[in-house]
Amino acid sequence: MVNYRRARVPGACYFLTLTLKDRRRDLLVRHSAELRQSLKVAMARMPFSLPAMVVLPDHLHMLMELPPGDAGFPSRVRLVKSGFVSLLREQPGVNLRLNAKGEANIWQRRFWEHMIRDERDYAAHVDYIHFNPVKHGLVNAVRDWPLSSFHRFVRQGLLPADWAGGAGADVAGAGE
């Protein structure tokens, strides 16, 4: 097995992107309840927090903050992915194609990870996460995408409801 170089720092915060294998599918928004449940189960088994997150049709971005002394974000990603697949298997009418190993071909095998370096990096990634539905042309205003932590940020008074509201707004952020 290939050992990918990943920054593993106990208690760090990571920007993660998980992507469906078939980018034309919209499983993540159609089955957002199952994804939410998978996250809850993973968080109960191996605690972590999600300071920011957005779910799009074919991928999701999140900031995952680990507890002190723990650097195991890959294990948590596996729990989220496998939990989502297990919950999908229980849904009637969901067509799960299996590969030669009998695994559901839902997720890309790997995921994008970036360890957050400082407050500026953190803020840029929160902005990127929240602006992503506009970037992908799914909505014209950030507030119009329901599957985003943006709404929590507004409720907590951290962002105004009209933040980056229109298409073409200039938002600093990380690359995808």
Side-chain angles (χ1 to χ4, degrees):
M1 179 177 198
V2 177
N3 187 14
Y4 292 95
R5 277 203 250 169
R6 295 196 184 272
R8 293 186 191 211
V9 176
C13 183
Y14 294 89
F15 170 77
L16 303 168
T17 301
L18 284 59
T19 306
L20 294 179
K21 191 168 196 161
D22 183 351
R23 299 291 303 252
R24 297 168 299 184
R25 295 187 83 177
D26 66 349
L27 285 175
L28 298 179
V29 293
R30 275 192 301 121
H31 295 282
S32 61
E34 289 80 8
L35 181 60
R36 185 176 294 113
Q37 182 62 27
S38 174
L39 285 160
K40 284 181 183 178
V41 168
M43 291 169 93
R45 287 186 62 194
M46 295 183 79
F48 62 93
S49 64
L50 293 171
M53 182 172 175
V54 67
V55 177
L56 299 154
D58 64 342
H59 68 286
L60 63 92
H61 298 293
M62 66 176 129
L63 288 180
M64 178 185 283
E65 195 168 332
L66 300 176
D70 192 333
F73 66 90
S75 300
R76 288 164 171 86
V77 169
R78 273 192 302 277
L79 278 174
V80 171
K81 286 180 168 184
S82 64
F84 181 66
V85 170
S86 294
L87 290 168
L88 282 184
R89 287 179 193 259
E90 298 172 6
Q91 300 303 309
V94 175
N95 181 19
L96 294 183
R97 288 167 269 160
L98 303 180
N99 64 20
K101 295 179 182 178
E103 303 165 331
N105 280 331
I106 300 291
W107 296 103
Q108 287 184 0
R109 284 208 176 274
R110 293 168 193 72
F111 56 92
W112 171 259
E113 153 265 325
H114 165 79
M115 188 179 75
I116 300 298
R117 297 179 305 271
D118 54 31
E119 287 299 319
R120 186 174 173 190
D121 194 28
Y122 182 93
H125 281 84
V126 168
D127 288 351
Y128 180 83
I129 287 168
H130 291 156
F131 193 72
N132 213 250
V134 176
K135 174 188 167 201
H136 287 284
L138 298 169
V139 290
N140 288 325
V142 174
R143 68 179 167 268
D144 295 336
W145 189 253
L147 301 174
S148 172
S149 59
F150 171 75
H151 305 288
R152 177 171 31 95
F153 277 63
V154 171
R155 283 192 307 275
Q156 292 174 345
L158 301 171
L159 289 172
D162 62 351
W163 179 84
D170 183 30
V171 175
E176 188 171 0

